[in-house]
Amino acid sequence: MLASSSLLRASPVPFRANARRTSRRMGPLPIRAGLNEALALGAASGLSAFSDAPPEALLALGGVALLAAAGIGFAAVQQTNGERSAADDGPPPLPREDAVLVFGATGRTGRVLVDTLLAQGRTVVAAARSADQARDVLGKEGPTGTLVALGASGGSGRRPVGGAGAGGILFIESGVDITRPETLTPELFKGVTQVVTAVGAVFGRTADGTMGYLDDMTPERVDAQGVANVAAAAAKYLPRAQRGVEDVLSMRSASDIAKWQRLDDVIMGGQSESGLAPAEDGSGAVWTGELIVEGGGFCGARTQPQELDLSAFDGICLRVKGDGQTFKLNIKTDMQTEKPEDTYQATFETQANGDWTTVFIPWHEFVLVKRARSVPDYPPLDPSRIRQFGLVLSRFEFNGYANPNYRPGRFELRIDGGIRAYRDPRPQLLMVSSAGVERNAKIGDDEEARRKDIPIVQLNPGAVLNHKYTGENAVRAAGLPYCVLRPTGLTNESEPGEFLLEASQGDRITGRISREELASMVTAALGTPAAANKTAELRRSEATDAVDKSMTDQDNLRLFLGLAQDRHRPGIGLEPFPAPAPPPAPVTAERKKEILSDARVVRSVAAGRGGRVRDEQESASAKTITVTSDGREQAAAAAAASASSPAAPAEAPAAPAAPAEAPAAPAAEAPAAPAGSPANVEEARAWIAAWKAKQQGGSSSGGDEAEQAEVPANVAEAREWIRRWRAQQLESKLPAGVSSD
């Protein structure tokens, strides 16, 4: 098997609640062993047997491309209906486990999402209606080293995918139509642990200019019925993930307790003392002592060093019984073992009435402290490198501030069983929806309120907001841990630099977000339990200092931690989700014209935001077209007319020697250059204006010096700006706020 070294690294494995696990990743040995076996087979095979075979057959599912000392040999192994041939002596097929099933994988958002997941090392199952389209779209782009395995419905084959990055394994399953439940089979969900829907209605333009939904893929059938079909299939074929808890460090016997040692304030001249002992009934441990404030003010105990990898878990679980005081749990990693004054600390509470209580302490709650002072900008705790645990009762909490729940004198803390680790469910069903769906449902048939809302709510083409909201409700009702992400206006702009992102709930914000940024948030949501059972709107932060700052893993975690679970919305002052409203009557032609002339719509379309319109070539393959006019063509025309205003030339060269049509921004937008333009956009525009003047009969003489004077110093930036604009014009546009495909 000719495999990138990136594929031989550890890969994600599913979590099983009752299985002993010390790592969330599995080693590369099975894949590497298969590679060695394949190389040996290839040395004996040679090329002659496959001289007439097409490339897809040479890289068949379960087959290998082999590099031998005498050259490159190939072994092709055919696989039918998942059963390997008796003559197959090659290595087994690529593992299909802990996979993310992506619906809408060939759409603009879906393909970015697939690429992002693969770059993170995930196994992805891309569901598509057409094998050819999936191969064309997903086979030409993607992380280097990614292997494509075509499902039985689309033929068998496996081949590397070109592009940048390094990543996981991609399976392409064709013949999947979410509007037809019978195509959502158990085989499709094989090895799948998480499902993502990034779908939208299929809208196109025919050769005669007719606009409409192709193959009856309307918002109602795709966003409502189709998503509901996916939710039902996921609930049927995916076992519901549950919180899992496992013992890590037993504290039941004398030999268990012998692994602990005292660490009271006597080491610094204090008088406090404490001790650990097994409970009389063998059910756990009892920590008792006396806390004396004078001279110190803390009691502690810690384990002997040992190596623990708890990266498969989300935190520590303790079942404890105390008297209302606040205790601390310490963790040292291998980075602190040689630094006695450094440790990670988290607090936990006990019940004042003396009842047993179970506490869950996630990794992110552990604070790195040095001599009881928190370390600024400390790295998060790495659970794969844990070396020691400790217990502390102190009169201080952090940074010298008093512990509000401590009392000098005698104390007792009972620990049931010992120290355990837990893992919470991640979202198993994630829907990419759209901002505006909830406010549309609230408005219902209140036409006055609708006229005052944002343009997408006023226009609501094809009742898309109603149908996406119906799909959301199906996802939330599926009975699986879920997440619904509502991007604000999706943009095609490729602005330089990065942006911080922000989330909100209750459908109260507008804004914009790129597909790359959205894909990164989907990937982050799939990886954290903090995203489970939450619905949120996403946009780029509009803070002045949010530009050129990238979202870190900690930023992503904080974003989701700051959201309330949907069932707790009233607890943060939000109303429960409104009941679905019937689609409003289509707007009149006159009203549509008013909406499309809104400056926000014109700017949005000119910037390339919104859903995609399939071109004549794509539309030609459709069996039916549901003719409609939802304003896309009018919006695009209005944007083009505005962009062609006298304030900026209507044409621009792709390079100094070759002209191309490229209207600059409207006059009102001149100070704020289009996203992705060079910082000195005025210089670029001046160059365009000079070029236009030449084409209209202006002076073209003066030799090389005159021509060079017309070109800005940073001509590369100017060309890049023009290239981006031209790319944006290749697709038709929607009004702002619609999240299609």
Side-chain angles (χ1 to χ4, degrees):
M1 176 169 60
L2 186 62
S4 165
S5 60
S6 64
L7 285 177
L8 302 182
R9 64 187 182 85
S11 57
V13 297
F15 175 79
R16 296 176 178 85
N18 297 317
R20 176 66 179 167
R21 190 177 303 281
T22 57
S23 175
R24 131 181 13 209
R25 301 266 179 183
M26 70 177 181
L29 292 180
I31 298 178
R32 193 179 298 275
L35 177 61
N36 293 335
E37 179 184 357
L39 288 173
L41 180 63
S45 63
L47 294 172
S48 59
F50 304 98
S51 58
D52 297 326
E56 312 299 345
L58 294 177
L59 296 166
L61 185 61
V64 288
L66 305 162
L67 177 63
I72 299 179
F74 295 96
V77 182
Q78 299 301 324
Q79 188 170 2
T80 304
N81 297 326
E83 297 295 326
R84 301 184 64 201
S85 168
D88 179 11
D89 295 325
L94 291 171
R96 177 160 163 168
E97 54 188 20
D98 193 28
V100 181
L101 173 57
V102 179
F103 293 95
T106 59
R108 284 190 299 176
T109 297
R111 69 187 72 170
V112 175
L113 174 58
V114 167
D115 192 43
T116 303
L117 288 167
L118 291 172
Q120 294 293 319
R122 294 300 303 265
T123 296
V124 178
V125 179
R129 290 192 294 161
S130 165
D132 291 339
Q133 182 187 13
R135 186 166 32 238
D136 291 343
V137 171
L138 300 174
K140 295 178 180 178
E141 300 175 357
T144 298
T146 298
L147 295 186
V148 175
L150 298 180
S153 56
S156 61
R158 187 166 71 194
R159 59 197 175 90
V161 178
I169 301 170
L170 173 62
F171 292 85
I172 297 177
E173 294 285 356
S174 62
V176 179
D177 183 346
I178 65 173
T179 68
R180 296 169 54 212
E182 64 272 16
T183 68
L184 306 177
T185 64
E187 290 74 20
L188 177 64
F189 285 81
K190 179 183 177 182
V192 170
T193 57
Q194 295 175 298
V195 176
V196 176
T197 66
V199 300
V202 182
F203 199 84
R205 176 191 295 105
T206 64
D208 62 3
T210 302
M211 303 279 284
Y213 297 107
L214 307 182
D215 292 326
D216 202 25
M217 290 293 168
T218 64
E220 181 176 11
R221 295 196 70 230
V222 175
D223 295 306
Q225 298 172 6
V227 172
N229 291 338
V230 170
K236 182 177 181 180
Y237 300 126
L238 298 185
R240 179 181 170 87
Q242 303 285 344
R243 171 178 278 174
V245 179
E246 295 183 22
D247 288 342
V248 172
L249 194 64
S250 176
M251 299 176 69
R252 294 180 174 88
S253 66
S255 60
D256 293 336
I257 301 303
K259 299 175 183 177
W260 292 74
Q261 60 188 36
R262 289 179 54 192
L263 195 67
D264 300 325
D265 60 15
V266 293
I267 62 174
M268 52 180 290
Q271 307 174 62
S272 303
E273 61 177 357
S274 66
L276 266 172
E280 300 83 354
D281 59 0
S283 62
V286 182
W287 186 35
T288 59
E290 183 178 10
L291 182 68
I292 300 175
V293 174
E294 292 75 20
F298 70 88
C299 292
R302 69 181 178 189
T303 63
Q304 297 171 354
Q306 59 182 309
E307 293 187 8
L308 288 171
D309 180 355
L310 302 182
S311 57
F313 301 94
D314 296 316
I316 296 298
C317 173
L318 299 171
R319 187 168 184 263
V320 295
K321 181 179 181 180
D323 56 2
Q325 299 196 70
T326 298
F327 293 81
K328 293 180 181 179
L329 181 67
N330 286 3
I331 291 180
K332 278 183 176 288
T333 70
D334 58 0
M335 301 297 291
Q336 291 87 44
T337 52
E338 301 301 324
K339 301 176 181 178
E341 68 276 14
D342 289 12
T343 190
Y344 284 92
Q345 282 190 342
T347 62
F348 63 91
E349 314 289 337
T350 59
Q351 296 293 317
N353 59 7
D355 287 345
W356 285 95
T357 184
T358 302
V359 294
F360 295 90
I361 312 173
W363 302 130
H364 65 261
E365 288 191 10
F366 285 88
V367 178
L368 181 61
V369 297
K370 186 182 186 70
R371 300 189 183 94
R373 306 283 176 172
S374 61
V375 177
D377 300 321
Y378 61 88
L381 184 150
D382 184 348
S384 69
R385 306 170 71 173
I386 292 176
R387 297 296 179 266
Q388 281 185 309
F389 287 102
L391 293 168
V392 176
L393 176 61
S394 173
R395 66 189 179 106
F396 297 111
E397 199 164 48
F398 294 105
N399 299 327
Y401 292 107
N403 178 352
N405 298 313
Y406 94 97
R407 291 188 302 275
R410 302 295 303 177
F411 71 89
E412 178 180 285
L413 178 69
R414 290 184 172 268
I415 303 172
D416 180 39
I419 295 176
R420 302 181 174 97
Y422 75 93
R423 179 177 172 87
D424 276 336
R426 276 72 175 148
Q428 292 181 271
L429 184 56
L430 189 149
M431 177 183 178
V432 176
S433 182
S434 173
V437 299
E438 188 175 335
R439 62 172 75 197
N440 176 74
K442 290 178 180 178
I443 288 173
D445 59 0
D446 188 341
E447 287 303 317
E448 185 61 29
R450 187 173 298 277
R451 292 179 69 92
K452 296 178 181 178
D453 217 301
I454 57 177
I456 184 57
V457 174
Q458 298 179 45
L459 189 60
N460 194 12
V464 61
L465 299 179
N466 297 77
H467 299 309
K468 282 188 179 291
Y469 190 59
T470 298
E472 284 190 9
N473 290 331
V475 167
R476 285 188 282 263
L480 296 172
Y482 67 86
C483 180
V484 176
L485 296 181
R486 299 167 171 171
T488 50
L490 285 175
T491 175
N492 298 327
E493 298 164 293
S494 300
E495 299 185 49
E498 297 180 279
F499 299 83
L500 293 180
L501 305 177
E502 59 187 15
S504 181
Q505 292 179 284
D507 208 351
R508 300 171 297 167
I509 63 172
T510 59
R512 57 178 177 161
I513 185 172
S514 73
R515 286 174 171 80
E516 290 76 13
E517 291 160 342
L518 173 59
S520 72
M521 295 312 301
V522 171
T523 304
L526 292 173
T528 176
N533 303 316
K534 296 178 179 180
T535 300
E537 297 78 48
L538 298 173
R539 71 176 179 186
R540 288 176 179 170
S541 173
E542 298 184 350
T544 56
D545 60 349
V547 181
D548 293 329
K549 293 183 179 179
S550 60
M551 292 287 288
T552 65
D553 290 342
Q554 289 298 99
D555 289 329
N556 292 336
L557 177 62
R558 283 190 287 266
L559 183 146
F560 288 112
L561 287 173
L563 302 173
Q565 289 193 354
D566 290 339
R567 64 191 181 95
H568 295 150
R569 281 171 46 125
I572 60 171
L574 288 178
E575 302 173 11
F577 288 113
V587 297
T588 64
E590 182 179 353
R591 177 62 186 142
K592 182 185 298 184
K593 184 176 181 180
E594 292 179 16
I595 298 171
L596 298 177
S597 64
D598 189 301
R600 293 171 292 182
V601 177
V602 174
R603 285 197 301 268
S604 176
V605 174
R609 303 173 203 158
R612 181 164 70 101
V613 177
R614 274 64 174 177
D615 59 21
E616 291 84 350
Q617 182 177 356
E618 292 177 283
S619 300
S621 62
K623 296 179 180 178
T624 65
I625 181 167
T626 306
V627 178
T628 185
S629 175
D630 62 4
R632 301 179 191 216
E633 64 274 32
Q634 295 98 320
S642 176
S644 302
S645 64
E651 298 178 338
E661 294 184 359
E669 299 290 320
S677 58
N680 59 346
V681 65
E682 295 302 331
E683 188 177 357
R685 289 178 179 165
W687 177 46
I688 296 168
W691 177 88
K692 183 182 179 184
K694 179 188 294 186
Q695 301 306 307
Q696 293 176 342
S699 173
S700 59
S701 60
D704 292 341
E705 274 186 70
E707 290 192 9
Q708 183 64 31
E710 297 174 359
V711 180
N714 60 344
V715 65
E717 283 190 43
R719 288 175 180 168
E720 178 62 11
W721 175 59
I722 295 167
R723 185 192 65 77
R724 287 172 177 159
W725 184 93
R726 294 181 69 196
Q728 291 168 8
Q729 305 312 302
L730 294 178
E731 296 179 341
S732 300
K733 291 85 179 178
L734 267 173
V738 172
S739 302
S740 175
D741 66 305

